[in-house]
Amino acid sequence: MAESDRPGTGEGSTKKGIRRAGPGRLVVGGFVGTSAIGTVLLLLPVSRAGDAGAGFMEALFTSVSAVCVTGLIVVDTPVYWSGFGQAMILLLIQVGGFGAMTFASLLGLLLYRRLGMRTRVTAAAETKTVGIGDVRTVVKNVAITSLQVEAVVATILTLRFWLAYGDRFTFGEAVWQGVFHAVSAFNNAGFSLFSDSLIGYVADPFIIVPVVVAVVLGGIGFPVILELRRRIAPRQWNLHVRLTLIGTGVLLVGGWIFFAVVEWGNQGTLGSLGLDGKLLGSLMQSAMPRTAGFNSVDTGAMSDEALLGTIVLMFIGGGSAGTAGGIKVTTAAILVVAVITEVRGERDVTVFRRRVDDGTVRQAFTLFALASTVTIAASMLLMVFEEVRALPLMFEAVSAFGTVGLSTGVTGGLDVRGELLLVVLMLLGRIGPITAITALALRQTRRHYRYPEGRPIIG
């Protein structure tokens, strides 16, 4: 009997297997499972500072926020959690940033020196690699790059905390602060061991600049970092790298100027600072909304214009296949170019003398529509649940979906319904709307026929 004729080995069986446990579903299961394990660890009495144990919602929310590298909190991290609890949060951040499934693939690679086909397919889905054969190299490079950047940033922060603030920290405490904030920054988590985040260091370039650099590097995505390591010359960059770097630069500089202008005289944020503090504060506020939840000024004191600008940056997010959230810079770039192309009446969407295929354009518009629908619906639900102004509630919803972690102070006062809604938004934002919906779909089919064309009137 030929192998294709054996029961369970033909093409139909393969398709059924993909439907039962496709890469998307495994990634979803990995993040949900890791969040559940993190919740259990944070519920341990040793995780809570003091005698009482952590509450279930506090543990669940913190675990999901750490695994999804968001940074939204309902309790004060340095006060509520013990040293063990903070270490567990740091571990969850590292696992979540690296990708639950990619992390499992790395462990399998180290322990067994090989990867099974299902594990390799799963890692390919997580790291956005094109060929399954590249996964082994990609997983290694991702791990090495993460550790290298985190080590460098941790060293700089440790020395700064120890040498400049020796009256506050011993050397051991400075090391812990440096390591925690370096890992949190590169993984775009935004968790801080200071109750006011980095507001106390707004004018210190040796704290702010390394954190911003780590956040941007983690946010542009591993494919861009690995491509830059292979090819230095800009003319050799592929289309994805060019769009990501140019888009990131435009948003970073544009946001820097925007926040400096609108908040320059605001006494609650930049107004009371000197020139250095104003420049560093506006830089921080430009870099963080697209990726991480650190803040060096009081977000709740920002003007409505600044809040709206922050919402836009959080919705766009950072680079693909990195630790940032949002619809991603490349998606926003394709949308802009596609609209310009349609306005001009041109047929093909072209960028840097490269034609973008129709499937990619459709995916960009689909992701934008799904993300818009989810954030608007979630914002409306929060308005039903809470008696708070609409703009701050929308800010919290977009921050959760964009896995950013910035807050105007609303999150800590939400009821259980609001907290659960933000938990769902963080999971959706980290996994990705398309991945989540694909993973949850019972069937994935492709029609082998096409209907006659119809032309409804648009506009």
Side-chain angles (χ1 to χ4, degrees):
M1 180 183 295
E3 184 174 348
S4 60
D5 296 331
R6 294 174 185 170
T9 59
E11 182 180 356
S13 174
T14 302
K15 291 181 178 179
K16 289 180 181 178
I18 294 175
R19 290 174 186 169
R20 288 195 195 102
R25 297 184 195 179
L26 293 176
V27 171
V28 172
F31 276 100
V32 173
T34 305
S35 299
I37 295 173
T39 302
V40 173
L41 291 174
L42 293 178
L43 282 173
L44 297 175
V46 70
S47 296
R48 171 77 189 274
D51 298 329
F56 175 76
M57 279 305 304
E58 288 78 6
L60 173 64
F61 194 97
T62 304
S63 176
V64 172
S65 183
V67 172
C68 296
V69 291
T70 304
L72 282 176
I73 55 175
V74 291
V75 293
D76 191 355
T77 303
V79 175
Y80 190 87
W81 302 107
S82 65
F84 178 84
Q86 295 170 13
M88 291 302 99
I89 292 173
L90 188 65
L91 177 62
L92 293 173
I93 290 172
Q94 187 71 76
V95 173
F98 191 62
M101 291 296 97
T102 308
F103 188 80
S105 301
L106 177 62
L107 290 179
L109 179 62
L110 294 176
L111 295 176
Y112 304 109
R113 303 295 238 174
R114 62 184 299 274
L115 291 173
M117 182 57 68
R118 174 180 291 186
T119 306
R120 296 175 74 183
V121 171
T122 302
E126 172 66 22
T127 57
K128 304 297 190 300
T129 50
V130 178
I132 294 177
D134 298 331
V135 173
R136 182 189 296 267
T137 302
V138 169
V139 169
K140 285 183 177 179
N141 288 336
V142 166
I144 292 173
T145 301
S146 299
L147 295 176
Q148 286 177 338
V149 174
E150 291 169 357
V152 172
V153 175
T155 301
I156 296 174
L157 294 179
T158 295
L159 293 176
R160 185 58 177 176
F161 284 129
W162 182 43
L163 297 177
Y165 305 96
D167 56 330
R168 304 183 196 176
F169 310 106
T170 65
F171 179 72
E173 292 171 340
V175 171
W176 175 236
Q177 293 286 350
V179 170
F180 190 97
H181 288 89
V183 174
S184 183
F186 181 72
N187 289 285
N188 286 201
F191 277 86
S192 176
L193 294 182
F194 303 111
S195 297
D196 60 352
S197 191
L198 297 179
I199 291 179
Y201 304 94
V202 60
D204 190 337
F206 296 99
I207 299 294
I208 299 300
V209 173
V211 169
V212 169
V213 171
V215 166
V216 172
L217 285 178
I220 62 176
F222 291 116
V224 174
I225 295 176
L226 298 180
E227 183 71 11
L228 292 178
R229 293 183 62 172
R230 287 194 296 263
R231 300 173 180 175
I232 305 300
R235 59 185 176 82
Q236 295 181 304
W237 293 346
N238 60 36
L239 181 58
H240 173 76
V241 173
R242 293 183 181 185
L243 285 177
T244 301
L245 292 180
I246 292 176
T248 298
V250 169
L251 292 175
L252 183 62
V253 175
W256 190 358
I257 296 174
F258 171 78
F259 287 112
V261 171
V262 300
E263 293 295 302
W264 193 270
N266 186 345
Q267 292 300 312
T269 55
L270 301 179
S272 60
L273 301 174
L275 180 60
D276 292 347
K278 289 181 177 180
L279 293 177
L280 288 172
S282 54
L283 171 64
M284 186 83 163
Q285 193 57 39
S286 175
M288 296 306 114
R290 296 185 304 101
T291 48
F294 291 111
N295 62 288
S296 58
V297 297
D298 185 1
T299 306
M302 292 196 307
S303 63
D304 287 350
E305 299 89 337
L307 289 178
L308 187 58
T310 303
I311 288 175
V312 173
L313 291 178
M314 291 192 300
F315 186 79
I316 294 175
S320 300
T323 52
I327 64 172
K328 303 299 188 293
V329 173
T330 48
T331 303
I334 293 299
L335 290 174
V336 171
V337 175
V339 170
I340 295 175
T341 300
E342 190 65 26
V343 170
R344 290 179 175 178
E346 299 175 357
R347 180 178 180 180
D348 296 326
V349 177
T350 56
V351 184
F352 299 121
R353 297 184 179 181
R354 292 291 185 272
R355 178 175 57 85
V356 181
D357 67 280
D358 294 338
T360 300
V361 176
R362 287 197 303 270
Q363 289 176 3
F365 277 101
T366 300
L367 180 56
F368 174 77
L370 288 173
S372 300
T373 302
V374 169
T375 52
I376 291 174
S379 300
M380 294 177 66
L381 282 175
L382 285 177
M383 294 174 196
V384 174
F385 298 156
E386 308 293 334
E387 295 182 359
V388 182
R389 288 195 310 125
L391 189 59
L393 290 176
M394 179 178 290
F395 188 98
E396 305 296 310
V398 177
S399 179
F401 180 78
T403 66
V404 177
L406 288 175
S407 175
T408 58
V410 172
T411 297
L414 295 177
D415 61 15
V416 175
R417 297 174 301 175
E419 291 177 357
L420 288 175
L421 178 59
L422 292 188
V423 165
V424 173
L425 283 175
M426 288 188 288
L427 285 170
L428 282 176
R430 182 64 180 103
I431 298 168
I434 291 181
T435 303
I437 291 176
T438 302
L440 297 175
L442 296 177
R443 298 182 61 190
Q444 299 180 23
T445 60
R446 177 177 296 180
R447 289 176 178 168
H448 298 285
Y449 58 89
R450 301 178 71 183
Y451 289 109
E453 187 179 87
R455 287 183 174 271
I457 298 176
I458 302 298

